[in-house]
Each structure stands twice: as structure tokens, then as C-alpha cells.
Amino acid sequence: MKIRRLSESTINRIAAGEVIERPASAVKELVENAIDAGARNIDVVMVRGGRDLISVSDDGCGMDREELALAVERHATSKLREDDLTHITTMGFRGEALPSIASVARFAMSSRPQGSDEGWKIEIEGGKKTTLQPAALNPGTRVEVRDLFFATPARLKFLKTERTEYSYALDVMKRLAMAHPDVAFSLSDGERKSFQVSAAQGELLDSRLRRLSAILGHEFADNSLSIEVERDELRLTGFAGLPTFNRGNAQHQFLFVNGRPVKDKLLTGAVRGAYMDYLARDRHPVLALFLEVPPEVVDVNVHPAKAEVRFQDSGLVRGLIVGSLRRALADAGHRSSSTVADQALGAMRPELSESSLPQYKGQYQGNYSRYRTVPSYPSGFADRGTEFQRPLTSGRQLGLGEQGEEAFAPPMGRHEPEQAQEAAGRPDLTTYPLGAARGQLHETYIIAQTENGIVLVDQHAAHERLVYERMKNNMAETGIPRQTLLLPEVVELDQGAAERLAARSEELAELGLVLEAFGEGAVVVREAPALLGDTNIKGLVRDLADELAELDETLSLKERLEEVCSTMACHGSVRAGRRLTTDEMNALLREMEATPHSGQCNHGRPTYVELKLSDVEKLFGRR
């Protein structure tokens, strides 16, 4: 065949294949057009997952008769000034969406400019236009797309179920709604509205948090940290969830560049890098970040659906995100997710029935029903930021040592009763954020009393975090101190594991672990980090060997410091099942208050749960 020009309808269908992948793609393009038109109310209707009907109505600036006829032409747009592709400030700019949609569906668009008494309508079926007709509608624009892909029936075979396609469109609507809190959005299936948010008022950060709470749930507002940083004409704002407020996948991470929702590997990697110190690999933070950059330093024209962007200086952007998130997490101190307390209360909620109380049936007939449900409770530990990080008296005065489990050695002399301590002028420990230790449960959990509630602490998880933070600080300052083993420990491994450890022996020595090859399939450990105290050397070495098997061989251990130190800290922490004295428990609580990030262990799990006295009283029907 000779080279020839394709017909206009064929060109539009090819473009539709790139731009309109599914009904949600059409919704995205049409809603973005409405946002660019200055709409403050956008209503979307999808019937049968968008197969039968997609209707988008807005109250934007509208179009007159001439503009309406031109809007459905290929590459006709009002969003580019002087053909400048380097200064794009609108959601759309190519002028492809409307003709692409119209080429594969039965398309109708009505519009009336603001301040005009005339409205007009144009219809297109499979790329064939009809003459414009007068239309009655409020100022704004209404687009109706019927029988999507009727002109390309092969595409219909690739669509999923109606519910799935509808859920894709719902995700699109939520993302656009997050980016534009000053716009009201709604999505309906023709019978009921599944999504509706009203326009938020007030300051941008406040209105944005209200919009995020409406979409992600009110728990997000209670467990998120505000982000607001500027650097070299880049501005990053938004809200990032506490490490303990996490999910099993990254579907709850929302990233926006100049108001445009994007899914970018650079940004996603930056988020992972910022949280790697606080979350296990299979857990993901919840956040919404909004990056504002000069239009000329970002290229939004690198993806047909404009879902990806390319930055002129990607290193600067990544550094801004990682640094801002880490700073916010550091400022959070040992604050933990408030949902942890709510979950604990839910687990303790009485579910009594007649069959479960046979011995009390006669005495309390009918009274058990009042315990079947318990109202929702206030959020848990309040953010007392600076108070949590307030300077303490010296560690020795609080019974804190400097290394390993010695940090919890009781002070010299006999233990004085608490009343005697208070009489002697010592502080009332219940006034501290984590309170005064009252006992130990199953030799695993510390029970502490605060001024207005109780705190339950997982002693192993908490101490693990403390050891980890000490190791990081030592690495950054003077290096991790080592202690020579009285008897060198020989650890037998498989040949591959022994070789991996021996190959990394110099790097492990910098982390306080001195070992060398000892024949085939074995290593001998001569020195260990002093912070770990009397630890299980064999277990530690075997876990490190497994860790090294999963690490990228091209990376140094310092580059993957969090995994290695985390493994060491886990072996050097107070074990569940170890009985602690009251002084040891209080020393642990005080050090938690003074240590950043102690609200979660190295795997992202909470180290403590706080229950307010009012919550406990409700459990027993006292309130």
C-alpha cells in the first residue's frame, strides 16, 4: 500500500484509543474541562458504569455558538496562549478529548455563556456532526455521552463489570475533588449519589483538610501531620498520616502537581524513602501531598492521559518531599495514631447475651441489652508535641543508663514508696505524658496511670524503638560502641549465607558487629554492639544473613541502615516475658517520652495505647 493520509474520523478514533481507555477516562477529561472553565459545581451521572450514559454538568463560563462549534474540532483549545507548551497552567491543553469521545460515542453538548440569554446544542454520532440548535439550560455546560464505544465495539470487550468501571470513575472524582476543595462535586449512577462533597470555605490548608476528611474519613484528620514547606520556588503542602496510621497497599497515597493528580514513580519513591525508618515493607502511609512548581520546570506533556510528569530537577523535588516528611515525622515525637485506642476499645466492647449470662439471668433479666452497643469514643492520645519532647532531668537521675538493658537498672538503694517520693519533693509521675507505671501484665505489657486515663505499653516494641534510635544516633556521631565477647561465638550457616556475611564484614564492623569466616559454612563473632547487651548472637547473625539475602548487592549497608539496625535492635530489646521492676518500667516510660518516633516500633506497629478515664467509664456504663 502507498502512503496516504488517514481520514479525520480514523485519526479521532486512534486518538480516542490513547486518551479514552475506559468510561472513567471520559469522565476525567470532561470534569477537567469543567474545572478549567471555572465551574464551582460539577455533577456527573454514569448509567451502567458509563456504557449507556455519561453526563457531566457544570456552572462554568460556558460557550457561545461559535465556540461550541469549534470546541469539537480536533486540536481546538482556549487553554494555550501563543502556542506556548512550556507554561501550562490548566488541566487540559491539547484539544483532543471532545473530538476523541465524539468519534466513538453518541455525543451531545449544550452550553450557555454566563450573562447570556442564549444556549446552544451540538450533536455528533460516530464523528458525524449535526447543525447547532437552540437549547434551554442554566449558564454553564452539559455534556452527554451515550453508548460509549458503539463505533468501536471491540473496545467494549475489554471493559470490566459495571460496578468496577463505576469504581474507577469514583476514584477519578475523589482525586480531582481533593485537588480542588473550592469546587462541589457529585457522582450518581442515575438512581442514587455515591459521592457528594460541597465546596469548602476558608483558608486553603483548612479547607483542604476538611475535603480530605470528607473523602478519606475523619480519622485521617485526627492522625495526620500538616506539611507546608517552600524551597527554591517549589512549594509542598498537604497532610501526611502518622506511621501507625497505615494501610496494606499504596492506594491511599495521593500526589498532585500544580493541582493535577499524578501517579509518578519519583514521587512514590520519595514517600517510601521518607517513611522507611518507621514502617515495615508491606505497610504504606496514608497521605495527600500537593506540589506547586513553576510551570516551566515541569513537563506535563509526557503521557497521553497526563497522568505522569517529568521534572527539570527531579533530585530537588525528591529531596524536598523526603526532607519535609521526615521533619514532620520527627516533630511528631512519640505521638501514635488515635485509631489504636479506638480499636482497643472496640475489642473490649461487651457483646453480652442471655445465653452468655445464664447464672445472672434471673437477677439482671433484661439489663444486659444496654451493653450490646457502645458509642464511639473520643480519639486517643492528644498531640502534646512540645510537651512530649520537653527536656528531662538527666538520665541518671531518672534511672536511665547508657547502654542496652542497663538503661533500666533501678537506682542504688532500696525502693521508696511513691508517697514518700512525693513527700521528698520528687515529681508526681502521673503528670508525665505516659504516666506512672502501676504494674506489668503477663510480663509483656506495662500498665501506667496518667492524670486522666491509663496507658498500656508493649515493652518489647517500645524498647526496640529506643535501641534503634540510639544506634542511629551513635552511627551519626561517634560510631556504635562495641563490646568484646568473653567467648567468641561460632555460628553455623549455609555456605551462601556465611559468604554474604563475610563479604560485608567491614561494613558490619562499622555497625558494631565484628565477625569473620570460620571454615566452610560458619562465621565467628568476636565483638557485638554494646547497646544490645546480653543478646542471642546466633539468632542475630542468622537474621542478618537473611536480611542481606534480600538487599541489593550494589547498595552499602549504610544505604540500607534501617533494615540492618532494625534487625539488631529487635534482638537487643527487652523481651516479652521478662519481669521488670517498677523503676525499670518508669525508666522505660521516661525514655519513650524523650525519644522521637517512640510511638511506633521499627515495623510501624504502635508501642502504646492510651485509654481515657471517660472511655473506661463508658465501658462499664458509668457514663
Side-chain angles (χ1 to χ4, degrees), residues 338-397:
S338 66
T339 57
V340 175
D342 293 336
Q343 292 165 1
L345 286 166
M348 292 188 289
R349 182 173 299 169
E351 290 290 346
L352 306 182
S353 64
E354 289 191 51
S355 60
S356 66
L357 293 175
Q359 66 271 41
Y360 304 116
K361 184 175 180 181
Q363 185 177 357
Y364 297 106
Q365 180 69 37
N367 290 337
Y368 65 85
S369 59
R370 65 189 290 232
Y371 294 102
R372 291 189 60 82
T373 59
V374 176
S376 59
Y377 303 101
S379 298
F381 210 85
D383 181 15
R384 296 167 68 180
T386 54
E387 182 184 355
F388 285 1
Q389 301 300 328
R390 67 172 182 257
L392 299 176
T393 52
S394 70
R396 295 187 184 280
Q397 287 177 314

Side-chain angles (χ1 to χ4, degrees), residues 21 36 88 118 163 169 176 202 280 294 314 319 336 340 371 548 575:
E21 180 185 0
D36 286 339
I88 297 171
E118 290 185 338
R163 178 174 294 184
L176 290 171
S314 58
S336 181
V340 175
Y371 294 102
L548 291 176
R575 289 292 179 183

Side-chain angles (χ1 to χ4, degrees), residues 122-349:
I122 187 171
E123 294 183 345
I124 305 175
E125 184 170 326
K128 297 179 181 179
K129 285 189 264 186
T130 62
T131 58
L132 274 74
Q133 302 174 350
L137 75 160
N138 293 325
T141 301
R142 181 175 65 246
V143 178
E144 294 182 347
V145 180
R146 299 181 183 274
D147 302 327
L148 185 64
F149 298 132
F150 91 94
T152 53
R155 179 58 67 91
L156 289 170
K157 298 178 182 178
F158 294 94
L159 296 183
K160 300 187 182 297
T161 64
E162 295 174 10
R163 178 174 294 184
T164 301
E165 295 296 340
Y166 188 85
S167 69
Y168 289 149
L170 178 60
D171 181 67
V172 167
M173 292 288 289
K174 287 181 176 180
R175 290 176 184 272
L176 290 171
M178 289 180 192
H180 302 276
D182 56 334
V183 180
F185 295 85
S186 74
L187 175 64
S188 166
D189 62 4
E191 296 180 358
R192 66 180 184 86
K193 290 183 178 179
S194 57
F195 177 67
Q196 184 172 19
V197 288
S198 57
Q201 306 294 326
E203 295 290 332
L204 178 60
L205 280 179
D206 294 337
S207 61
R208 185 170 280 164
L209 181 58
R210 288 195 295 273
R211 174 60 58 86
L212 292 174
S213 299
I215 297 173
L216 299 177
H218 295 293
E219 288 180 347
F220 179 75
D222 296 335
N223 298 286
S224 61
L225 308 170
S226 176
I227 308 292
E228 189 173 9
V229 180
E230 289 190 42
R231 183 192 302 170
D232 296 340
E233 296 187 305
L234 276 62
R235 185 167 187 260
L236 182 69
T237 59
F239 297 88
L242 291 167
T244 46
F245 185 71
N246 55 60
R247 295 290 185 272
N249 56 46
Q251 297 301 312
H252 291 80
Q253 295 177 11
F254 302 94
L255 305 170
F256 305 84
V257 177
N258 290 348
R260 185 189 308 278
V262 297
K263 295 180 179 180
D264 188 90
K265 292 182 179 179
L266 168 71
L267 302 180
T268 304
V271 171
R272 168 58 72 182
Y275 276 85
M276 67 169 57
D277 220 11
Y278 314 102
L279 286 176
R281 294 172 191 159
D282 59 346
R283 305 303 298 178
H284 303 267
V286 181
L287 52 78
L289 298 178
F290 303 83
L291 179 64
E292 298 172 34
V293 302
E296 58 271 14
V297 303
V298 59
D299 187 358
V300 299
N301 194 25
V302 297
H303 189 274
K306 303 183 288 292
E308 297 177 5
V309 295
R310 183 177 296 142
F311 296 100
Q312 194 176 82
D313 189 346
S314 58
L316 178 63
V317 173
R318 188 184 190 280
L320 176 66
I321 294 174
V322 173
S324 302
L325 288 175
R326 284 184 173 174
R327 194 156 41 248
L329 292 171
D331 291 343
H334 70 265
R335 180 181 167 193
S336 181
S337 168
S338 66
T339 57
V340 175
D342 293 336
Q343 292 165 1
L345 286 166
M348 292 188 289
R349 182 173 299 169

Side-chain angles (χ1 to χ4, degrees), residues 397-410:
Q397 287 177 314
L398 289 171
L400 299 182
E402 295 178 352
Q403 297 179 349
E405 295 183 0
E406 294 177 2
F408 306 108

